[in-house]
Amino acid sequence: MPTSDVRSKILEEATRLFAARGFEGTSIQAIAEAVGVRKPSLLYHFKSKEELRQAVLDELLTRWNEVLPELLMAAAEVDRFDGVLDAMADFFLEDPDRARLLVRETLDRPEDVRQRLERYVRPWVDVALSQLSKAQREGHVHAKADLPAYVVHLVQLVVGSIAVMDTLVALLPEDAGDRRQRLRAEMRRMARSGLFAPRPKNYEVAAE
Amino acid sequence: MPTSDVRSKILEEATRLFAARGFEGTSIQAIAEAVGVRKPSLLYHFKSKEELRQAVLDELLTRWNEVLPELLMAAAEVDRFDGVLDAMADFFLEDPDRARLLVRETLDRPEDVRQRLERYVRPWVDVALSQLSKAQREGHVHAKADLPAYVVHLVQLVVGSIAVMDTLVALLPEDAGDRRQRLRAEMRRMARSGLFAPRPKNYEVAAE
DNA sequence: CCTACCGATCGGTAGG
DNA sequence: CCTACCGATCGGTAGG
């Protein structure tokens, strides 16, 4: 085991608590209790609360960078767009705390997050953009779409919706079956209809 | 003057600071300083920090409820949809702290916000939905659209995007003119294309 | 990884 | 609207 068991448990509980209560709303005492150690033991692994914050965010964005680029780089397929969109949604739905943490951090430290997005997210956004531009020139994508702005909104739509999903589902009619599933399906539909020119059956992004 | 000058100044500074640093990240001492009074004076106007939080949120949602319903109820016009969407965007762009506060509060107190949305937002969402349903039956709106889910996502798109707009614009190419304006225009385009069936020129919601 | 302890700041009150 | 003050908790350190 490369990193100690306690260290990764601290990261796990810190992620959970920062997401639920925010950084300022979470004491290192509370994290230590959740882990099952004393406060000074936590501070042996992370020299300060600020260092723990950075480590939590680092881990989140590192995992993001493990999952998404390879999907984006994969051989062109008919449903590439759906694949990337679903993978992004899956990543955050798998643990909605990731979305909440990212939104909180963006509100708490806009400049810090901006620099991280520049480093972690922009590269694969640029790849997606070059493919989408090609599809736009070929007429598969709405000519009027402002692609960089579209992608930014799409990411915000996915991350933001998942971050507050538990509150949003409550606004849907109660009788509806799986309200989360409905929100997700409609998110996908909105993403597609905002992108693809009206050729219902032929929507691939980069079919060679 | 119905409410004292100091009281409204406290609400104003509290809104600003809660939005920027969060509730837990803002001390009542800091708010008192921003207002120019001592801490116990602030606590004369609001018996506790919690009471101040509720008052700040009340004011925000009350203003929302002053602006939006009348717009929604106004006589049917060709560009009703754009009108409502723009009014909503204007409301939050006029003071982006409103969006940030709402997002933070949703993360901090999901159940509390859910109940308030039920009271403040749901009524006019229901009005919008009945009009959109009619438009959908008449074929102006995508048949596949899940309208309740669509509206929920649309509100989240507007509020969420504005809440983190300063960070998002930094992801757009630097050369672009007014990047905020670009984001806003694309938001509008996404909202429309997700809703209206492909009849480019005829997009009104409820034209009698 | 622990006990013991630090100064600073927190939300809030007494009393005028 | 103020001065003066409260106990509790904060992040962090000494020392082992």
Side-chain angles (χ1 to χ4, degrees):
Chain A
M1 43 195 79
T3 54
S4 90
D5 206 44
V6 172
R7 187 189 156 89
S8 59
K9 187 112 191 269
I10 291 172
L11 280 174
E12 186 185 321
E13 296 295 340
T15 301
R16 193 175 58 80
L17 287 166
F18 287 163
R21 309 177 190 173
F23 180 77
E24 300 287 352
T26 305
S27 64
I28 52 183
Q29 170 70 31
I31 300 168
E33 267 174 30
V35 173
V37 296
R38 305 286 178 177
K39 200 170 55 168
S41 309
L42 187 154
L43 287 164
Y44 162 77
H45 291 282
F46 301 92
K47 278 186 291 188
S48 67
K49 195 186 179 187
E50 176 61 28
E51 194 175 297
L52 178 55
R53 163 181 230 153
Q54 299 295 336
V56 163
L57 199 54
D58 273 339
E59 210 210 27
L60 166 63
L61 291 172
T62 299
R63 292 209 181 170
W64 164 295
N65 248 15
E66 282 167 12
V67 173
L68 281 171
E70 69 186 41
L71 229 151
L72 203 67
M73 296 299 189
E77 287 174 21
V78 189
D79 56 356
R80 165 106 57 108
F81 177 78
D82 280 351
V84 172
L85 185 66
D86 283 348
M88 186 162 71
D90 283 340
F91 177 77
F92 288 104
L93 283 168
E94 185 186 311
D95 182 3
D97 282 343
R98 289 170 175 162
R100 294 182 196 117
L101 198 80
L102 209 52
V103 171
R104 281 192 187 276
E105 205 66 21
T106 306
L107 292 169
D108 285 350
R109 309 276 192 97
E111 181 54 26
D112 191 73
V113 169
R114 202 192 57 71
Q115 286 178 18
R116 284 169 183 274
L117 291 182
E118 203 81 52
R119 222 188 112 203
Y120 289 93
V121 181
R122 190 151 204 178
W124 69 262
V125 164
D126 286 344
V127 173
L129 275 177
S130 76
Q131 298 185 346
L132 288 171
S133 300
K134 186 176 165 234
Q136 193 176 40
R137 285 191 299 273
E138 291 168 352
H140 301 112
V141 161
H142 284 310
K144 282 187 175 174
D146 180 342
L147 292 177
Y150 169 83
V151 170
V152 161
H153 278 306
L154 189 62
V155 173
Q156 195 287 128
L157 181 68
V158 173
V159 177
S161 293
I162 294 173
V164 298
M165 179 158 277
D166 292 344
T167 305
L168 293 184
V169 292
L171 291 178
L172 260 40
E174 283 108 21
D175 58 319
D178 188 341
R179 289 183 283 182
R180 279 163 173 264
Q181 201 51 48
R182 263 181 76 179
L183 278 181
R184 184 174 177 173
E186 181 64 11
M187 188 166 78
R188 192 189 281 116
R189 196 195 62 80
M190 286 174 72
R192 308 186 110 293
S193 70
L195 191 60
F196 297 113
R199 285 194 205 174
K201 285 293 172 61
N202 178 20
Y203 51 76
E204 69 271 25
V205 170
E208 298 270 342
Chain B
M1 43 196 77
T3 55
S4 90
D5 206 44
V6 172
R7 187 189 156 90
S8 59
K9 186 112 189 271
I10 291 172
L11 279 174
E12 185 186 323
E13 296 295 340
T15 300
R16 193 176 57 81
L17 287 167
F18 287 163
R21 309 178 191 173
F23 179 77
E24 300 288 351
T26 305
S27 63
I28 52 183
Q29 170 70 31
I31 300 167
E33 266 173 31
V35 172
V37 296
R38 303 288 178 176
K39 200 170 53 166
S41 309
L42 188 155
L43 287 166
Y44 163 77
H45 291 282
F46 301 91
K47 280 187 288 188
S48 68
K49 196 187 179 187
E50 177 61 28
E51 194 175 296
L52 178 54
R53 163 182 231 154
Q54 299 296 336
V56 164
L57 199 54
D58 273 338
E59 210 210 26
L60 167 63
L61 290 172
T62 298
R63 292 209 180 169
W64 165 295
N65 248 15
E66 282 167 3
V67 173
L68 282 172
E70 68 185 41
L71 229 151
L72 202 69
M73 295 299 189
E77 287 174 22
V78 190
D79 56 356
R80 165 105 56 108
F81 177 78
D82 279 353
V84 174
L85 185 66
D86 283 350
M88 186 162 71
D90 282 342
F91 178 77
F92 288 104
L93 283 168
E94 185 186 312
D95 181 3
D97 283 343
R98 290 169 173 162
R100 292 181 197 117
L101 198 80
L102 209 52
V103 172
R104 282 193 187 275
E105 206 65 21
T106 306
L107 292 169
D108 285 351
R109 309 274 193 99
E111 182 53 26
D112 192 73
V113 169
R114 201 192 57 71
Q115 286 178 18
R116 284 169 183 274
L117 292 182
E118 204 81 51
R119 222 188 111 204
Y120 289 93
V121 181
R122 192 152 204 178
W124 68 261
V125 163
D126 286 343
V127 173
L129 274 178
S130 76
Q131 297 185 347
L132 288 171
S133 299
K134 186 176 164 234
Q136 193 177 40
R137 285 192 298 273
E138 291 167 352
H140 301 113
V141 161
H142 284 310
K144 283 187 176 173
D146 179 343
L147 292 177
Y150 169 83
V151 169
V152 160
H153 277 307
L154 189 63
V155 172
Q156 196 287 129
L157 180 69
V158 173
V159 177
S161 292
I162 293 173
V164 298
M165 180 159 275
D166 292 343
T167 305
L168 294 184
V169 293
L171 291 177
L172 260 39
E174 282 107 23
D175 57 320
D178 188 340
R179 288 183 284 181
R180 279 164 173 263
Q181 201 51 46
R182 265 181 74 180
L183 278 182
R184 183 174 179 175
E186 181 64 11
M187 188 164 78
R188 193 188 281 116
R189 197 195 62 80
M190 286 174 72
R192 308 185 110 293
S193 71
L195 191 61
F196 297 114
R199 286 192 205 175
K201 284 296 170 61
N202 179 20
Y203 52 76
E204 69 270 29
V205 169
E208 297 270 340

